[in-house]
Amino acid sequence: MSNAIESVLVETRVFPPPERAAQGAAIPSMDAYNALCAQVENDFDGFWAGQARDNLTWTKPFTQVLDETDAPFYRWFGDGELNVSANCLDVHLTNGNADKTAIIFEGDDGTVNKVSYRELLARVCRFANGLTALGYKKGDRAIIYMPMSIEAVVAMQACARLGVTHSVVFGGFSAKSLQERIVDVGASLVITADEQVRGGKTIPLKVAVEDAIAMGGCEAISKVIVYRRTGGKVQWTEGRDLWMHEVEVGQPDTCEPVPVNAEHPLFILYTSGSTGKPKGVQHSSAGYLLWALLTVKWTFDARKDDVYWCTADVGWVTGHTYITYGPLAAGLTQVVFEGVPTYPNAGRFWDMIARHKVTTFYTAPTAIRSLIKASEATPDAHPKNYDLDSLRIIGTVGEPINPEAWIWYHKNVGRERCPIVDTWWQTETGGHMITPLPGATPTKPGSCTLPLPGIAAAIVDETGGDVDKGNGGFLVIKRPWPAMIRNIWGDPERFKKSYFPSELRGYYLAGDGAQRDADGYFWIMGRIDDVLNVSGHRLGTMEVESALVAHELVAEAAVVGRPDDTTGEAVVAFVVLKQARPEGEEAQAIAKLLRDWVAKEIGPIAKPKDIRFGDNLPKTRSGKIMRRLLRVVAKGEEVTQDVSTLENPAILEQLAKPL
């Protein structure tokens, strides 16, 4: 392992936390951080029990903290009961936040709508009552396929209020991806919109739902509820389809939250695996919410007058933890944005920060890198032209940030006075795991720094033994934590095999390679499996390969990633057709056809950036595709490794030619 992932990055710059970030911070110094870590060490159960009692409102208090009897199927606070929505909304009726703005929603066209905690709760209650009237109850599953909107948050919170487990599907996924998830989760309800609006264009959503249902296997769906976002034309099935506003009409503004067991599945969110179909990551109610709230308090040092903005989409885990649940539980005012960072121009983010007086800004390195390019091309859109003085903390999420982008972000957005929280975590971890604390941790560009209190992160070799500082290895978490994945929906065997392999002593395997430097700081070095990270979104190479091979022209395909300045990684596809290898214009035309096909099968995010055609693929004599070799070719590097085991070494030359 240590020789498979090598770190070539040497970064010596260190940035201590600015004094103003430490003043009044939740964790104000390294001493305070170390004291919390020691507290967990000395009294693991006591620490977590104290956090759960202090931060959450329980309808039935728990007496058990962590139950490890059926590891790795850990149970947290297993005999307690609560309701997640009540902890995000109802609590604010009595703590002085009732009339505080909960969400500032800005549409793609710049329209702004605000909703207070009291109003948001009333909306959630009306929708939840409407769902109850339709017969939905605790234990049912709903698919949510919606644009970024207050309505998406309302739909998720209403499900949580009733104990209906939701599975949100990102609006950029295709009908096929949607159908797979409806079938796998056994959904009886779909909540969607007529269309979504991004970058001045409308994109249909209801159409994809129709197409998904038409593919079959969705017989459990009894209702499709549609938020009227644009008024665009939609196909309608009487008796099955209902408008969201009609479901809410005439419903009371109050709705008793349904108490659920601490371990009740709050949501299932699908993520790419290295093989086969996406994995339905199952999250609990209490443990997940506790960690969502704690990390908002610690990582973002949440303060009552903050205006917080996470630019993610609710279709990803970041939008669950750091839009729908964590910030609301913390009582923050947050910005929710429908559009894209480059419309109507590349200064959109900076303009919004200035107008809404955003204090905490959380976005993806891909967005930062594309805005660096844009501000070079159109100087008017450079952040220096905007008033960003309100910013206090800036953060990154989804993938490691390269040091130069970090420095640009620090100088131009943070104006060298805002700590950067570079957060490492996963869909499976539920919330931040390794991250700087803005008032305590000296930061190094490109490093996610140190684990949060209670997170036993380590780097080990293939037997689970600790590796020396400076050496690469597998990133693992040695002890359970409250927000951890509970299962892969419907596939406990895959859950155990994927995340708790026996050869690694039962530790949680993150699937990332990493190293620790002399100061104990973590540096993430990329996936150890065939999962690509494109613009902060995980894509299984297997899924893209399967989509390509499903096209009638394609005989075989292999997909790898290569570094990309903007998206972090780009998808490169090596394709063998059922006909002669195409060249010139024909090759260009077929490549376009295949790109569009992948976009339709999976979604635009999975479109290969490069497609290369060959007479066949490089295989060992036993028939195994040599993906490692293809990675070298994709990067345009010289092949130095031994190719004598290849069936046909001449093939490499063909595949090295970009179109």
Side-chain angles (χ1 to χ4, degrees):
M1 172 66 202
S2 50
N3 57 8
I5 302 180
E6 282 182 39
S7 176
V8 289
L9 184 68
V10 179
E11 182 55 67
T12 52
R13 293 169 288 192
V14 179
F15 294 81
E19 204 170 302
R20 76 177 191 138
Q23 284 166 1
I27 302 177
S29 63
M30 286 307 287
D31 286 349
Y33 163 79
N34 290 325
L36 277 171
C37 295
Q39 208 182 324
V40 189
E41 282 285 298
N42 299 332
D43 182 7
F44 185 86
D45 278 16
F47 173 82
W48 287 116
Q51 295 295 347
R53 286 191 187 108
D54 293 348
N55 286 283
L56 298 180
T57 303
W58 298 81
T59 48
K60 180 185 169 205
F62 59 89
T63 61
Q64 307 158 354
V65 183
L66 172 62
D67 178 357
E68 302 184 67
T69 49
D70 187 20
F73 299 95
Y74 298 103
R75 291 177 61 81
W76 283 90
F77 321 116
D79 59 347
E81 289 183 2
L82 48 53
N83 181 276
V84 167
S85 172
N87 273 276
C88 294
L89 299 172
D90 304 48
V91 292
H92 300 303
L93 290 185
T94 52
N95 65 6
N97 286 335
D99 296 310
K100 179 179 180 176
T101 301
I103 294 175
I104 304 166
F105 172 73
E106 179 158 322
D108 186 73
D109 64 357
T111 312
V112 175
N113 288 309
K114 297 181 179 180
V115 57
S116 70
Y117 274 95
R118 191 188 307 276
E119 290 162 337
L120 184 60
L121 171 61
R123 290 198 57 182
V124 168
C125 286
R126 287 199 293 275
F127 190 54
N129 287 327
L131 293 179
T132 304
L134 294 169
Y136 291 104
K137 57 188 189 308
K138 181 165 85 178
D140 291 339
R141 272 102 45 215
I143 287 274
I144 298 176
Y145 184 62
M146 290 181 87
M148 284 298 290
S149 52
I150 294 173
E151 285 71 15
V153 174
V154 166
M156 291 165 81
Q157 283 281 350
C159 287
R161 200 164 191 84
L162 300 176
V164 170
T165 301
H166 62 66
S167 183
V168 184
V169 179
F170 172 57
F173 276 134
S174 66
K176 178 128 181 355
S177 298
L178 183 60
Q179 182 259 359
E180 287 170 355
R181 288 157 173 75
I182 292 172
V183 172
D184 193 70
V185 84
S188 55
L189 168 66
V190 174
I191 307 170
T192 187
D194 48 6
E195 297 176 318
Q196 58 179 344
V197 188
R198 287 173 70 81
K201 297 186 184 79
T202 57
I203 302 153
L205 290 176
K206 175 74 163 46
V207 170
V209 173
E210 296 294 346
D211 292 349
I213 293 174
M215 290 172 189
C218 307
E219 289 72 24
I221 288 171
S222 56
K223 292 284 183 260
V224 174
I225 298 175
V226 187
Y227 157 49
R228 188 182 272 154
R229 166 66 188 93
T230 61
K233 211 165 129 209
V234 291
Q235 199 180 322
W236 203 256
T237 304
E238 277 309 327
R240 184 198 70 185
D241 297 354
L242 297 159
W243 290 112
M244 188 172 183
H245 59 271
E246 287 178 354
V247 170
E248 291 177 25
V249 78
Q251 294 293 347
D253 287 353
T254 55
C255 163
E256 271 306 301
V258 175
V260 298
N261 179 275
E263 283 296 318
H264 176 77
L266 173 65
F267 65 88
I268 296 149
L269 189 55
Y270 285 82
T271 182
S272 290
S274 52
T275 54
K277 65 175 191 179
K279 299 179 286 202
V281 171
Q282 180 182 323
H283 274 292
S284 73
S285 293
Y288 167 80
L289 185 66
L290 172 66
W291 195 235
L293 177 55
L294 277 179
T295 50
V296 167
K297 287 183 175 179
W298 290 348
T299 310
F300 298 124
D301 186 36
R303 306 192 182 191
K304 65 176 188 304
D305 50 357
D306 272 334
V307 178
Y308 159 96
W309 181 19
C310 164
T311 68
D313 189 286
V314 288
W316 308 108
V317 73
T318 306
H320 285 55
T321 309
Y322 298 111
I323 296 177
T324 301
Y325 293 113
L328 293 179
L332 293 183
T333 294
Q334 66 172 325
V335 175
V336 169
F337 176 47
E338 178 179 41
V340 293
T342 49
Y343 177 83
N345 57 56
R348 180 70 181 267
F349 274 7
W350 322 129
D351 173 53
M352 285 177 63
I353 292 170
R355 279 189 289 111
H356 299 302
K357 301 282 181 270
V358 171
T359 58
T360 310
F361 180 64
Y362 191 39
T363 195
T366 294
I368 296 166
R369 288 192 292 265
S370 67
L371 292 168
I372 295 175
K373 275 191 178 167
S375 62
E376 285 166 4
T378 47
D380 288 356
H382 195 286
K384 67 177 184 218
N385 299 320
Y386 296 85
D387 176 3
L388 307 183
D389 287 353
S390 58
L391 285 173
R392 188 169 73 80
I393 291 166
I394 53 180
T396 69
V397 58
E399 56 191 311
I401 181 167
N402 48 307
E404 288 324 303
W406 192 103
I407 293 290
W408 184 91
Y409 194 37
H410 171 69
K411 278 188 175 158
N412 294 291
V413 180
R415 310 281 157 91
E416 301 188 37
R417 53 181 186 78
C418 298
I420 295 181
V421 288
D422 170 359
T423 58
W424 176 84
W425 61 296
Q426 300 174 302
T427 303
E428 294 88 345
T429 70
H432 301 151
M433 302 292 279
I434 309 176
T435 171
L437 294 163
T441 318
T443 49
K444 299 181 184 184
S447 167
C448 49
T449 70
L450 298 168
L452 283 171
I455 303 302
I459 296 170
V460 300
D461 59 21
E462 38 281 273
T463 63
D466 288 316
V467 302
D468 293 338
K469 281 182 179 168
N471 286 345
F474 299 104
L475 176 57
V476 297
I477 314 291
K478 290 186 171 182
R479 289 288 291 136
W481 67 101
M484 64 195 299
I485 175 175
R486 295 304 198 262
N487 208 339
I488 291 174
W489 182 257
D491 201 343
E493 278 312 303
R494 190 178 180 195
F495 166 71
K496 280 197 293 201
K497 208 163 108 204
S498 299
Y499 299 113
F500 296 92
S502 52
E503 62 273 20
L504 291 186
R505 311 183 188 185
Y507 300 152
Y508 168 83
L509 173 66
D512 280 334
Q515 58 120 342
R516 281 187 100 163
D517 64 18
D519 299 322
Y521 278 39
F522 283 78
W523 298 80
I524 307 295
M525 290 145 52
R527 299 291 298 170
I528 55 177
D529 56 16
D530 287 320
V531 176
L532 310 180
N533 193 328
V534 180
S535 301
H537 306 318
R538 280 172 56 173
L539 278 179
T541 53
M542 187 79 185
E543 288 167 82
V544 186
E545 286 172 14
S546 304
L548 282 163
V549 173
H551 191 282
E552 59 188 17
L553 291 178
V554 176
E556 220 177 358
V559 168
V560 299
R562 65 161 171 79
D564 183 272
D565 285 349
T566 304
T567 56
E569 262 191 302
V571 177
V572 183
F574 297 92
V575 175
V576 179
L577 297 178
K578 291 174 183 171
Q579 61 190 61
R581 176 166 60 89
E583 291 188 351
E585 282 182 16
E586 186 192 11
Q588 297 277 6
I590 295 175
K592 183 177 181 318
L593 184 76
L594 294 179
R595 276 197 194 93
D596 294 346
W597 169 262
V598 170
K600 186 169 150 289
E601 288 286 294
I602 303 173
I605 193 99
K607 269 191 251 261
K609 195 156 190 181
D610 288 356
I611 291 186
R612 316 261 180 100
F613 295 104
D615 293 329
N616 46 40
L617 292 174
K619 291 178 184 174
T620 60
R621 291 194 173 89
S622 60
K624 196 168 178 267
I625 296 174
M626 294 183 72
R627 284 183 171 76
R628 188 175 290 185
L629 204 57
L630 289 175
R631 286 190 196 102
V632 173
V633 172
K635 285 180 194 165
E637 294 171 354
E638 195 182 340
V639 175
T640 53
Q641 64 202 82
D642 180 21
V643 292
S644 59
T645 56
L646 272 185
E647 206 177 7
N648 173 7
I651 204 72
L652 292 177
E653 208 169 308
Q654 287 177 11
L655 297 171
K657 285 183 193 156
L659 291 187

